[in-house]
Amino acid sequence: MDADDVLAAKRAEFVLDGAPPLAPPEAHAVAPPRTPRPVYLDGNSLGALPRTVPGRLHEVVTREWGRLRIRSWSESGWWTAPERVGDRIAPLVGAGPGRVVVGDSTSVNVFKAVVAAVRIAQQDAPGRDELLVDAATFPTDGYIAASAARLTGCTLRPVPAPELREAIGPRTAVVLVNHVDYRTGRLHDLPGTTATAHQRGARVVWDLCHSAGALPVELDAHEVDFAVGCTYKYLNGGPGAPAFLYVREELRSRFDSPLPGWNSHAEPFAMAADYVPADGAARGRVGTPDILSLLALEEALTVWDGVELAEVRAKSLALSDFFLRCVAAYVPAGRVESLTPGAHGERGSQVTLRCAGAGEVMEALIAREVVGDFRQPDALRFGLTPLYTSFADVAHAARVLGEVVA
Amino acid sequence: MDADDVLAAKRAEFVLDGAPPLAPPEAHAVAPPRTPRPVYLDGNSLGALPRTVPGRLHEVVTREWGRLRIRSWSESGWWTAPERVGDRIAPLVGAGPGRVVVGDSTSVNVFKAVVAAVRIAQQDAPGRDELLVDAATFPTDGYIAASAARLTGCTLRPVPAPELREAIGPRTAVVLVNHVDYRTGRLHDLPGTTATAHQRGARVVWDLCHSAGALPVELDAHEVDFAVGCTYKYLNGGPGAPAFLYVREELRSRFDSPLPGWNSHAEPFAMAADYVPADGAARGRVGTPDILSLLALEEALTVWDGVELAEVRAKSLALSDFFLRCVAAYVPAGRVESLTPGAHGERGSQVTLRCAGAGEVMEALIAREVVGDFRQPDALRFGLTPLYTSFADVAHAARVLGEVVA
């Protein structure tokens, strides 16, 4: 399978060698087996380092900041980086140019998007005052949505994702959904939920943290209103790299941000007392962009050159199918249960296994250089990142899991 | 004066050599004089690069991200960096430990602080619905304050800074003031304005962008409620480095953030559906911290080891006095006028000169390797950064300014 992998060459573009392994915890003080390298299956949490990033970042720091200093805002293209990097992400989420801007955290972008979406929904139909959120959302989305609801006079209603479409009613202003559930890896129905919301007069905000770079996302084609996502998972931008915000073309002039910082002004250097928002993607900016992280991300995105998302998706599904087969073969029956849907159409790019003592099991896996992560109370998460995960990696991971559990 | 400078040795800790100069614009196509180096007087916009930052950042990228990857959130101290770096900034602004947190942009922190301050003021006295802001504020503060007012049902009233104290009335919830005016370099009265606001039942938010690292700021001593500031000017954290937020100890448990992201949760990894805010400085966090920029900043702050802010202030005032004397000596009479107050008690750490054709004059200065900046419509700004600006620098700058203007 690795020999037939059309993305196999991409693996060499990442740093995948490891640091010395952790000292094994007392309970598992057995010498770990020799493996060719750590098997890193946590790219759904923090993507691996693309090889060209350290060199580029060194240049940014020593030449652009160190020697050019303030001149770099224009000469090194710092000022326009949020839109430029946004345009690099755009094709990965099915967006045309000028619709994606990079900056701030996902949480802050959820706030911008939800408040702005409520404002648009209420302009169109003043009585709408309900905000729906999928009940199993990544927590920050729910917390931020609650704050947005409080500040805009709305009520927040959590609804299990499969029931969301039916729950959209005449009072619904906005629906906020995670495209892929961070815990189970379940892929939610973006086209259907968006269409139903629009039929019923509501707006949608999609959180793409666990889908951007993992599978095709067709934001323009499905007329999504707003979307946000992080860049440090499948996009490999580095720890805490700035997030992105997508605004639908038709809503661009109606996007009324609750965080209208000076970077989103039509003429930021006029330093005017009155706020006039910029026309394009820059309207989603707030304060001065975080240049070191932003330019590291820009360099990291070059690994996507020439990559087709259909190939990424095909490999992702093949990897998760194969991993589940290996788990069935190597792990004693009844010891783990997949929380990730079997149907391809409902699967993101991770596999989550329920397992008794999952916290200790993950510690033992990491001590044996198989790196996934543990989520409360009983979940083992394994991220499958098609640009650098091999079929041999997942077979090895399943084999070690079987040994640990046994 | 340079020989007597107790901070002179600090200069060697920064990279101050320059890139090849810009091609001189047509209008000034005279060969620039040979100077030992560019004279960088724009540290009030972007601080110079501390020498140890590139090495540290390379280690963060190649070892902590590249090899340890996800383990670095605990093993490399990534998760606690916002509070740890906050505690490094705290003594520079007169704050005790646990009161400063680093993350997000200044604009986003202004939003947190203003909304939270309004909530506290209204809890204490429900009728308060007015937000005062200094009329010459850096634009982003005014824009964000207007958004905060709109979302909390308040009215924004801009008032010229010298009249602010008198303007605080029974309806005033919050006063938002820039400690130093970004344009003129005027230092506003923090102790007096804060005391008056408290006497009249209002809360204060101070923006320290142009004072943190430039002069002593005694936040705890003057019982300031909230403060924000950037870290890329006098704190030399790098372009767009994350900003900081200070919350007064007595208000810690009442700080009700409008951006309650998962990083501010009491137990972030419990991934709980209900939001319970953290107790300490972490309550001001929002999303995943921007690690590359944050750790570059942390390294940059090591240049402050052993530095007394009283020495910084004394040198800053001596530099601006000397620069103004050199300007008087070298620039033909009547060609420039200082917008920066003469009284030391009203002066920050920059000198702003009004000058006809200021835009072209600054271009000519930069072509001759004297780097300040231009602000609309007619202002030349020269930042004096006591850790690396010498008296010879400012004398040279004044001499070149005289030649250019003549």
Side-chain angles (χ1 to χ4, degrees), chain B residues 29-101:
Chain B
V30 182
R34 286 185 65 85
T35 51
R37 68 184 67 78
V39 170
Y40 188 65
L41 300 177
D42 213 2
N44 55 326
S45 185
L46 176 65
L49 172 66
R51 285 197 183 280
T52 61
V53 167
R56 170 66 183 134
L57 194 56
H58 189 71
E59 183 193 23
V60 170
V61 174
T62 57
R63 182 173 165 278
E64 298 185 6
W65 173 16
R67 292 168 64 88
L68 294 175
R69 286 179 287 267
I70 200 73
R71 288 166 44 183
S72 278
W73 282 109
S74 52
E75 287 180 51
S76 305
W78 289 357
W79 183 261
T80 51
E83 296 90 83
R84 189 177 69 242
V85 182
D87 278 344
R88 275 209 95 114
I89 291 173
L92 300 175
V93 293
R99 296 168 202 186
V100 176
V101 69

Side-chain angles (χ1 to χ4, degrees), chain A residues 90-139:
Chain A
L92 300 174
V93 293
R99 295 168 203 185
V100 176
V101 70
V102 177
D104 305 308
S105 65
T106 303
S107 301
V108 169
N109 282 300
V110 168
F111 186 75
K112 295 176 203 169
V114 171
V115 172
V118 167
R119 286 171 172 172
I120 289 170
Q122 293 184 339
Q123 271 177 1
D124 291 342
R128 292 183 181 269
D129 61 358
E130 183 187 65
L131 223 160
L132 299 185
V133 62
D134 67 295
T137 184
F138 185 79

Side-chain angles (χ1 to χ4, degrees), chain A residues 31-379:
Chain A
R34 286 185 64 87
T35 52
R37 68 183 69 77
V39 170
Y40 188 67
L41 300 178
D42 213 1
N44 56 328
S45 185
L46 177 65
L49 172 66
R51 286 198 183 278
T52 61
V53 167
R56 171 64 182 135
L57 195 56
H58 190 71
E59 183 193 23
V60 170
V61 174
T62 57
R63 182 173 165 276
E64 298 185 5
W65 173 16
R67 292 168 63 89
L68 292 174
R69 287 179 285 268
I70 200 72
R71 287 165 46 182
S72 279
W73 281 109
S74 52
E75 286 179 50
S76 304
W78 289 356
W79 184 260
T80 52
E83 295 92 85
R84 187 175 71 244
V85 183
D87 279 344
R88 274 209 96 116
I89 292 172
L92 300 174
V93 293
R99 295 168 203 185
V100 176
V101 70
V102 177
D104 305 308
S105 65
T106 303
S107 301
V108 169
N109 282 300
V110 168
F111 186 75
K112 295 176 203 169
V114 171
V115 172
V118 167
R119 286 171 172 172
I120 289 170
Q122 293 184 339
Q123 271 177 1
D124 291 342
R128 292 183 181 269
D129 61 358
E130 183 187 65
L131 223 160
L132 299 185
V133 62
D134 67 295
T137 184
F138 185 79
T140 213
D141 299 64
Y143 307 157
I144 293 285
S147 174
R150 174 180 172 193
L151 286 165
T152 57
C154 288
T155 304
L156 184 71
R157 184 152 68 98
V159 176
E163 298 160 31
L164 261 178
R165 282 176 76 169
E166 280 321 297
I168 301 168
R171 313 243 355 201
T172 308
V174 173
V175 188
L176 168 64
V177 204
N178 287 249
H179 195 195
V180 173
D181 185 292
Y182 77 100
R183 199 162 164 282
T184 62
R186 177 183 291 274
L187 176 65
H188 294 141
D189 177 11
L190 183 145
T193 309
T194 303
T196 301
H198 288 168
Q199 281 155 20
R200 300 184 186 175
R203 299 294 176 174
V204 293
V205 179
W206 284 92
D207 181 335
L208 309 179
C209 280
H210 292 83
S211 60
L215 48 95
V217 183
E218 295 297 337
L219 294 177
D220 284 351
H222 298 302
E223 301 185 325
V224 166
D225 299 306
F226 293 89
V228 303
C230 85
T231 63
Y232 49 78
K233 299 178 188 289
Y234 298 92
L235 297 179
N236 314 300
F244 65 87
L245 172 70
Y246 164 89
V247 181
R248 183 179 169 191
E249 179 76 357
E250 293 88 319
L251 298 181
R252 203 157 87 167
S253 63
R254 301 180 66 194
F255 172 41
D256 181 6
S257 172
L259 293 171
W262 74 294
N263 272 234
S264 69
H265 196 283
E267 290 186 75
F269 291 98
M271 304 279 170
D274 292 327
Y275 180 71
V276 179
D279 262 340
R283 190 180 286 209
R285 290 172 63 165
V286 185
T288 303
D290 203 332
I291 292 300
L292 303 187
S293 296
L294 192 51
L295 299 191
L297 167 62
E298 182 173 37
E299 182 63 30
L301 290 169
T302 62
V303 301
W304 292 94
D305 290 348
V307 172
E308 295 291 334
L309 279 166
E311 292 170 354
V312 170
R313 178 63 169 161
K315 181 174 172 189
S316 163
L317 291 172
L319 280 168
S320 52
D321 282 342
F322 184 60
F323 181 53
L324 287 167
R325 276 172 53 202
C326 293
V327 167
Y330 295 129
V331 179
R335 301 301 289 272
V336 300
E337 176 201 357
S338 175
L339 296 176
T340 303
H344 281 180
E346 298 174 11
R347 195 190 294 169
S349 196
Q350 76 182 48
V351 170
T352 303
L353 303 176
R354 179 183 285 156
C355 176
E360 285 182 358
V361 169
M362 186 50 73
E363 275 182 37
L365 286 172
I366 291 171
R368 297 171 78 145
E369 298 197 82
V370 171
V371 181
D373 62 26
F374 161 63
R375 284 292 177 266
Q376 293 283 3
D378 58 2

